[in-house]
Amino acid sequence: MFMKVSSLASLIHGDRFMSTDVALPFRQDIIGHNLCSNVAKYPDGQAVLQAQEVARFMSAIDQKYFFEMEYDGLPIWGDIGFMEGPKHYLYTRYNFGISYHQEKIIAVNVTMSHPIQLLALASDEHMPVMFSYSARWFHTDKNPIDRTELYTSSMRSTTESIHWVALVNSICITSLGVVILWAIMMRVLKKDTKKRLSHDSIDELGWKSISGDVFRPPAQKMYLASSIGVGAQLLVALVAFLILGLWGLISKDEGDRTITMLIVYVLTAFIAGYVATKVFIGLEGKKYATNLLVASLLFTLPLFLIVAFGNFVAVGFSSTAALPLAAVIKLVLILGLTAVPLSIAGGIVAKSRSKKFEAPTRTYSYKKEIPEVNFYQRPWFQFMVAGFIPFAASYMEIIQFFSSNLNQAGLMFGLLVLILLTIIVVTACVAAIFTFFQLSSGDYNWWLWSFGYGGSAAVWLVLYSLFYWAVQSNLRGFMQFWHFFGTVLVCAWGVWLILGTIGFLTSYFLVKKMYSAIKAD
């Protein structure tokens, strides 16, 4: 075997291609070809496994390792071995079945046979093994334009029906709860705005009594503005990616999909700078350059740190998931020379077109004291409840995502679009409802909390991922843990920013509409 040059997409996905000694000439059947016959160090045609190599095979079978090959651009998967009770068996024969149409290869699959039992050996012992392979060619009348459809069609027919049933179930349950809460809120809101109250009775209605404080800019305006800017960028990037998928422009290869995501993210960096600066100026912010820097690093820096730590872990385990230095430099240059300038350009454009936010009510010079409330009316409690609702709406999809080892999202783009729309609507309604509840309790610190009400589903995602890892998954070892949990952290951070932005914008328009309907001195 010898290494082949891998693309950036393959390197990111952890694929390192090697040429094997398995030769499959077109339309030539092969029966029991010995793979060891042409190896100089095995003159008798048998490989010799040392005790350490046998132990590694047994460990790989324990952990359900499998191999992946590629022939004419088509993937081939197979198991290394299997277990029967405490016994380990290693496959030594690989039987390839290849379908062709005229001069075109349509599909490739492999079955394994001739298992031998592996036994723990002493350090000075060895075990002879003969590896071989066979190949059979079959003519087929199928000639699909996309050959990978043959790999996914059977799986899709089953999984799509499961996904649709789960999605409809989630939508019905969560929508019912959201509609009930929304109806209650709108009824109370309309009743309040129609009343003509005296100054004494104003104090009885919490959200009206804080009209002089509700539009006071928050202290953490830079973080809020940057988060909204990056959240808007990620939302646009996600929508653009799904649209490309609906049009059939997204490759089914994991590495290629990752590169496409990276390109879309980079090209939408202008939005982050523009929105972050516009919101920051509206909130009376002054340090524009610092705000742009925070917006540029808010998602990229955590992503880089998580990937960098995972890379160090992969290097320590000698895993192919470790990115070479050249690939790391390419990624840094792509982000540094494209995303950052676009973000700065967006900030410059926004600075010349933005103005201070005009509140519908006058802000008092003094802050009103926030009254004490029951625990279930406190923002932190509402924060957790608000996040659970959109999390529950997407619970079945999260299970599917985790069950597929985080690598099958993106195969059914139409379903993903519907899921995204559902989550957006549910998040918007939930954030608006709990912001109204907070204002009704006399708490005017809604700016950051409204963002949190939308993004709090990310907290439930992280908590459930820990539960899934500990109870439901068969992933073990620190490297597998970090690959799983690192991926979840990146996804959760993106969910926090996207849904937080949706929650804030919905709450902002609701609050502005509410206080525009009343008259306050």
Side-chain angles (χ1 to χ4, degrees), residues 217 281-284 354-359:
I281 293 176
L283 294 175
E284 304 177 13
S354 301
K355 60 181 180 179
K356 180 182 174 182
F357 166 70
E358 296 180 1

Side-chain angles (χ1 to χ4, degrees), residues 470-486:
V471 178
Q472 296 180 318
S473 77
N474 58 359
L475 302 174
R476 295 296 179 265
F478 185 74
M479 182 175 171
Q480 291 186 355
F481 168 78
W482 185 253
H483 170 73
F484 174 83
F485 194 62

Side-chain angles (χ1 to χ4, degrees), residues 324-337:
L325 180 60
V328 175
I329 294 175
K330 288 179 182 178
L331 293 174
V332 172
L333 289 177
I334 290 173
L335 294 173
L337 299 180

